[in-house]
Amino acid sequence: MASPMRSLLTDPARYLQSFRLFLEKSTEHQSMREFMEKQLPTLIASIGNGKSTINILSVGGGAGEIDLLILSKVQARYPGVTINNDVIEPSADQVLKYKERVAETSNLENIKFTWHEETAYEYESRMNAEKKSKKWDFIHMIQMLYYVKDIPATIRYFHSLLEAQAKLLIILVSGTSGWETLWKKYGSSFPLNDLCTYISSADLRRMLDSAGLKYQFYELPSHMDITSCFTEGNKDGELLLDFLTETREFSKTAPPELKRQVMEELKKPECSEKRDGKVLFNNNLGVIVIEP
């Protein structure tokens, strides 16, 4: 009998709903913001040296929350310099949110935004077809490598677009996170199909090492409150379970035994810790900064 389990990505509206709830219930953006405040200024200190224009490429820019923070740090380092910020983002809904956010933000006068409503692979194919290979001073891929078909090829391509002083910044879930435990154990039971691949910063580092690329690594502590997942029928809990398993309506469609095992796993110390009556899932992030 065919499994009724479907990838969450087959329902883009529900995916976005669960993703936004995840951001609300986790310290994901808080952790990234702290990194951008403390570490990013040093990392971008020489990307624009001697340049009148700085070119930045955001791959999977989402609704732009983190992008605008990155841009503010580049502006602080290179005041008055023109910045071209190109955004690759396949979700029309996210692009719309990004544009609204830009419209509501001040001090963006010297930044020119260009949105490409397409996937990273579509962008690469289009550039190759147009025989273009524009170089960039800073490229970032934040929490998006799960959605590309060929991860090493994608990294190779964007790495080839770096200028001499540029950096490629990638953020993924860490190899020490609850995601790693959950997905290494149950990933094969979830309906991933070809829309999503599980990869952690540990996997990525192995790829980069075998490709001989130089990089710096940072670990960011983060957690997500998944307490609601343990209340049967709780709407938020169901959405978070969907997000954790990348499965649409996981609690309704998963075989009972799989659901029982996943719920047990989520409570284990390898995945979560109990604090003040809450279950906090380990959402640690890995940041990898690749040299040209």
Side-chain angles (χ1 to χ4, degrees):
M1 187 188 106
S3 161
M5 288 169 78
R6 293 267 175 279
S7 164
L8 180 57
L9 294 164
T10 59
D11 185 344
R14 190 170 171 90
Y15 171 77
L16 265 185
Q17 205 187 349
S18 69
F19 174 62
R20 289 187 180 144
L21 182 66
F22 156 72
L23 289 180
E24 191 188 308
K25 295 286 181 189
S26 73
T27 59
E28 169 106 348
H29 276 181
Q30 219 172 302
S31 303
M32 287 184 196
R33 274 196 287 272
E34 202 168 303
F35 176 83
M36 300 305 170
E37 294 289 348
K38 289 182 179 158
Q39 312 286 350
L40 189 67
T42 314
L43 295 169
I44 58 165
S46 57
I47 61 167
N49 286 3
K51 296 183 179 243
S52 57
T53 304
I54 296 173
N55 296 309
I56 299 179
L57 182 61
S58 162
V59 187
E65 301 97 325
I66 302 298
D67 285 26
L68 290 186
L69 181 57
I70 290 172
L71 288 167
S72 72
K73 296 300 165 199
V74 177
Q75 280 180 310
R77 172 66 185 88
Y78 296 101
V81 171
T82 302
I83 300 171
N84 290 322
N85 187 67
D86 279 46
V87 182
I88 300 169
E89 172 53 60
S91 163
D93 196 58
Q94 291 283 71
V95 168
L96 190 64
K97 289 265 188 303
Y98 196 137
K99 288 178 175 174
E100 286 169 358
R101 183 168 268 111
V102 166
E104 291 160 5
T105 307
S106 54
N107 303 327
L108 300 178
E109 295 77 23
N110 61 332
I111 305 176
K112 180 176 177 282
F113 289 88
T114 309
W115 286 273
H116 307 278
E117 204 177 293
E118 59 192 344
T119 65
Y121 181 69
E122 285 163 350
Y123 175 85
E124 180 182 344
S125 308
R126 187 168 60 80
M127 288 298 133
N128 289 339
E130 294 171 12
K131 305 234 178 320
K132 287 182 184 163
S133 60
K134 182 173 163 62
K135 296 279 188 182
W136 302 89
D137 301 305
F138 189 59
I139 301 176
H140 54 87
M141 313 171 89
I142 297 176
Q143 291 287 42
M144 59 69 65
L145 277 177
Y146 322 106
Y147 309 114
V148 305
K149 281 194 173 63
D150 185 337
I151 294 166
T154 301
I155 291 170
R156 261 196 312 275
Y157 172 70
F158 286 103
H159 183 261
S160 75
L161 305 182
L162 292 176
E163 289 277 20
Q165 300 281 345
K167 299 271 194 283
L168 168 57
L169 178 136
I170 298 174
I171 302 184
L172 285 170
V173 295
S174 166
T176 66
S177 68
W179 295 99
E180 179 85 340
T181 311
L182 183 67
W183 280 83
K184 287 281 189 277
K185 204 160 177 180
Y186 295 105
S188 57
S189 306
F190 301 149
L192 274 194
N193 59 42
D194 61 353
L195 295 169
C196 184
T197 320
Y198 176 72
I199 174 173
S200 73
S201 60
D203 302 317
L204 180 59
R205 290 174 78 178
R206 279 191 287 275
M207 281 178 203
L208 298 177
D209 290 339
S210 67
L213 291 176
K214 291 211 326 238
Y215 62 88
Q216 290 157 285
F217 176 72
Y218 306 83
E219 175 100 11
L220 313 186
S222 174
H223 62 259
M224 159 169 62
D225 183 351
I226 59 167
T227 317
S228 59
C229 294
F230 301 97
T231 307
E232 195 67 46
N234 181 294
K235 282 282 171 282
D236 280 0
E238 287 178 359
L239 276 169
L240 289 176
L241 272 175
D242 284 13
F243 192 74
L244 284 163
T245 61
E246 287 286 333
T247 304
R248 185 178 179 271
E249 303 274 11
F250 177 80
S251 48
K252 293 189 175 75
T253 61
E257 185 51 24
L258 176 65
K259 184 181 171 184
R260 189 191 66 73
Q261 288 175 355
V262 166
M263 299 311 284
E264 280 303 305
E265 193 66 41
L266 286 173
K267 285 183 184 159
K268 289 184 182 168
E270 292 81 5
C271 276
S272 303
E273 61 163 320
K274 289 198 173 69
R275 207 192 304 161
D276 305 328
K278 290 180 176 155
V279 183
L280 302 177
F281 182 78
N282 180 327
N283 185 53
N284 286 3
L285 301 167
V287 180
I288 290 174
V289 183
I290 309 176
E291 308 288 331

